[in-house]
């Protein structure tokens, strides 16, 4: 009996370690998406249901070899613009973590993050994608598109692993999606915004100039929401996020596809960090981020590998439970972020809004994008309006 108990405990220990590993590699199930769905459906029992948009498969992607990790065709969701927004386009690149090893990429093949077979047939358009003027007054009648994410490397890879049956074709997926949208009228756009959240926010930085080059006669801007992943030490003094990104770069051979303006003088892993990319982007770029990004706290600064005894567990779930020393560490992270973007912020063509919310992804959620309790300054809604500073009307805040 004692031997059986010891065997059970050993198996439990191994499984626990595997789960901890996958929490880092496959971050999107229980954290980001759970909160997102709660904000969409659980905000108010009286709230009208959100606009649901069907999935469109990019059949022309096959000729390009633009496929998901498992070889299935990629897709997107589109809601057509009208009226004053008929010739304006908003493209949102979906986020959803990364895979940093063959094992974790194989795992993603059986999820919507690696195969269109598992993608939802319909998704809600809320936040910056909402079709309601009262929820999204500036973009509600634009052509609004969400490009699905199924490559595991922020739409940057272009290689394969035949032995594992993996296609790392994120760059081709991006190109195939843009080609299809151009054929559906985006080529005639008067203004266009490339956006994205989290891994999609990083992708919007990576592809910002590509997007602008695609539309040479269009007013083009880019928005990165929660995409400012910092190359920072974790709570143990280690480099959890750098090690993780290093695995992403190595697995998908991204040294061949990352921006040459960066890889010409820095190693490839450094060039997966946006802080080393934003200074070379020619297209006007807006950074929307929180200085206390909840994903970076949970998965970059205090992952289980850096906090094996769980001393940061309560703090990562609720910043009100952080000790004074933990708050001091987070303040140091905030200062590091602000110092990193100083030069970027000095450019008159760029913009940024870095607040102190304990959140991750603010433009996709209605409760943080535009609602009664959206972030405000002097009774003015500044999250949405600060974006307008760089995108549309060049002012900081509008009256509530």
């Amino acid at each position: 009996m004692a031997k059986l108990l010891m065997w059970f405990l050993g198996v439990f220990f191994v499984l626990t370690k595997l789960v901890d590993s996958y929490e880092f590699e496959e971050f999107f199930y229980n954290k980001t998406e759970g909160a997102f769905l709660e904000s969409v459906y659980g905000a108010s029992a009286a709230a009208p249901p959100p606009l649901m948009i069907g999935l469109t498969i990019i059949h022309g992607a096959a000729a390009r070899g633009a496929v998901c990790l498992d070889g299935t065709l990629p897709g997107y969701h589109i809601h057509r613009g009208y009226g004053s927004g008929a010739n304006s386009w908003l493209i949102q690149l979906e986020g959803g973590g990364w895979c940093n090893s063959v094992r974790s990429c194989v795992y993603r093949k059986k999820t919507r993050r690696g195969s269109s077979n598992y993608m939802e047939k319909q998704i809600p358009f809320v936040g910056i994608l909402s079709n309601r003027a009262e929820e999204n007054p500036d973009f509600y009648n634009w052509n609004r598109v969400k490009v699905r994410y199924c490559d595991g490397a922020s739409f940057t890879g272009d290689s394969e692993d035949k032995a594992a049956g993996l296609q790392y074709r994120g760059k081709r997926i991006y190109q195939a999606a843009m080609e299809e949208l151009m054929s559906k009228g985006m080529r005639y756009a008067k203004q266009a915004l490339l956006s994205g959240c989290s891994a999609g926010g990083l992708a919007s930085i990576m592809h910002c100039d590509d997007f602008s080059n695609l539309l040479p006669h269009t007013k083009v801007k880019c928005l990165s929401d929660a995409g400012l992943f910092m190359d920072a030490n974790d709570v143990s003094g280690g480099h959890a996020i750098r090690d993780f990104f290093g695995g992403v770069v190595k697995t998908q051979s991204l040294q061949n596809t990352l921006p040459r303006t960066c890889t010409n003088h820095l190693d490839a892993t450094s060039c997966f960090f946006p802080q080393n990319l934003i200074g070379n982007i020619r297209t006007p770029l807006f950074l929307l981020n929180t200085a206390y990004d909840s994903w970076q706290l949970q998965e970059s600064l205090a992952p289980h590998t850096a906090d094996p005894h769980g001393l940061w567990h309560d703090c990562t779930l609720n910043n009100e439970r952080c000790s004074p020393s933990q708050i001091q560490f987070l303040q140091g992270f905030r200062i590091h972020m602000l110092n990193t973007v100083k030069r970027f912020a000095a450019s008159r063509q760029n913009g940024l809004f870095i607040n102190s919310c304990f959140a991750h992804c603010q433009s996709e959620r209605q409760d943080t994008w535009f609602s009664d309790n959206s972030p405000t300054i002097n009774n003015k809604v500044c999250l949405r309006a600060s974006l307008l500073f760089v995108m549309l009307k060049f002012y900081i805040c509008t009256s509530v």
Side-chain angles (χ1 to χ4, degrees):
M1 186 69 182
K3 289 184 178 180
L4 181 61
L5 178 61
M6 290 300 293
W7 176 85
F8 174 79
L9 291 175
V11 171
F12 178 78
F13 176 79
V14 171
L15 289 176
T16 300
K17 292 301 180 183
L18 286 175
V19 169
D20 288 335
S21 174
Y22 275 114
E23 280 185 358
F24 194 94
E25 295 167 345
E26 296 300 326
F27 169 81
F28 50 77
Y29 287 114
N30 297 325
K31 298 174 184 177
T32 299
E33 294 192 4
F36 171 66
L37 292 174
E38 180 182 348
S39 72
V40 174
Y41 299 108
S44 170
L51 175 69
M52 301 298 292
I53 301 297
L55 175 66
T56 299
I57 294 296
I58 308 174
H59 294 287
R64 277 183 169 269
V67 293
C68 299
L69 286 171
D70 71 336
T72 55
L73 294 176
Y76 63 93
H77 304 256
I78 182 170
H79 191 243
R80 288 290 191 171
Y82 63 91
S84 61
N87 291 318
S88 299
W89 288 72
L90 190 161
I91 312 300
Q92 187 180 75
L93 303 178
E94 187 180 31
W98 308 267
C99 53
N100 71 331
S101 66
V102 171
R103 184 191 67 166
S104 61
C105 290
V106 167
Y107 176 81
R108 286 174 79 102
K109 285 171 50 173
K110 297 298 184 180
T111 76
R112 61 187 177 277
R113 296 300 186 228
S115 171
S116 58
N117 288 338
Y118 298 93
M119 291 178 183
E120 304 91 333
K121 301 306 179 186
Q122 290 187 321
I123 63 169
F125 267 29
V126 296
I128 198 172
L129 295 177
S130 173
N131 66 323
R132 299 192 182 104
E134 64 273 19
E135 294 179 349
N136 188 29
D138 304 295
F139 305 107
Y140 72 96
N141 64 347
W142 285 35
N143 296 280
R144 302 174 321 286
V145 181
K146 185 155 195 162
V147 180
R148 300 304 297 268
Y149 177 46
C150 63
D151 68 275
S154 290
F155 296 91
T156 58
D158 192 10
S159 62
E160 65 179 332
D161 184 337
K162 291 183 179 179
L166 289 166
Q167 296 289 323
Y168 304 126
R169 303 297 185 183
K171 185 175 182 180
R172 296 191 190 190
I173 291 173
Y174 167 81
Q175 292 169 341
M178 295 304 110
E179 183 178 289
E180 173 139 332
L181 295 175
M182 291 287 279
S183 72
K184 293 199 169 186
M186 192 171 70
R187 68 175 72 251
Y188 305 113
K190 292 183 178 179
Q191 56 184 350
L193 176 66
L194 179 69
S195 69
C197 160
S198 193
L202 175 57
S204 69
I205 293 173
M206 298 278 195
H207 291 290
C208 186
D209 283 341
D210 296 336
F211 187 67
S212 181
N213 293 337
L214 193 66
L215 299 163
H217 306 297
T218 302
K219 181 180 180 182
V220 174
K221 306 289 171 70
C222 303
L223 164 66
S224 173
D225 178 6
L228 190 59
F229 300 99
M230 302 300 300
D231 189 0
N233 290 347
D234 58 43
V235 296
S236 71
H239 307 279
I241 186 65
R242 169 166 275 274
D243 293 341
F244 181 80
F245 276 180
V248 178
V249 169
K250 181 179 179 181
T251 299
Q252 297 209 20
S253 300
L254 299 185
Q255 67 274 8
N256 300 319
T257 58
L258 292 172
R260 293 295 182 192
T261 53
C262 182
T263 56
N264 284 340
H265 64 279
L266 290 176
D267 63 275
T269 298
S270 294
C271 294
F272 203 69
F273 283 97
Q275 66 194 70
N276 298 317
L277 302 173
I278 56 178
N280 294 318
I281 294 175
R282 303 182 303 275
T283 306
L285 170 64
F286 192 90
L287 301 178
L288 170 60
N289 231 90
T290 167
Y292 306 104
D293 185 281
S294 57
W295 185 92
Q296 294 197 57
L297 173 55
Q298 295 167 9
E299 304 296 325
S300 169
L301 300 180
H304 175 77
T305 53
D307 182 37
H309 302 295
L311 301 178
W312 279 79
H313 178 265
D314 290 346
C315 177
T316 61
L317 297 179
N318 185 345
N319 59 327
E320 293 182 354
R321 299 176 182 173
C322 297
S323 68
S325 62
Q326 290 170 333
I327 291 293
Q328 185 177 6
F329 181 89
L330 295 180
Q331 282 287 78
F333 178 74
R334 172 182 176 273
I335 292 170
H336 176 46
M337 179 181 289
L338 295 179
N339 287 337
T340 297
V341 298
K342 272 185 179 179
R343 189 171 180 180
F344 170 86
S347 171
R348 297 188 64 181
Q349 77 165 9
N350 298 322
L352 70 164
F353 184 64
I354 297 180
N355 58 27
S356 296
C357 297
F358 191 69
H360 183 69
C361 292
Q362 300 177 82
S363 63
E364 289 190 347
R365 295 176 49 145
Q366 197 59 55
D367 57 350
T368 52
W369 175 242
F370 192 70
S371 65
D372 292 340
N373 61 350
S374 293
T376 61
I377 298 177
N378 296 328
N379 294 322
K380 299 183 179 211
V381 176
C382 285
L383 180 57
R384 174 184 63 85
S386 59
L387 170 59
L388 298 184
F389 173 76
V390 74
M391 185 59 205
L392 296 172
K393 301 177 182 177
F394 294 93
Y395 55 77
I396 296 296
C397 292
T398 54
S399 299
V400 173

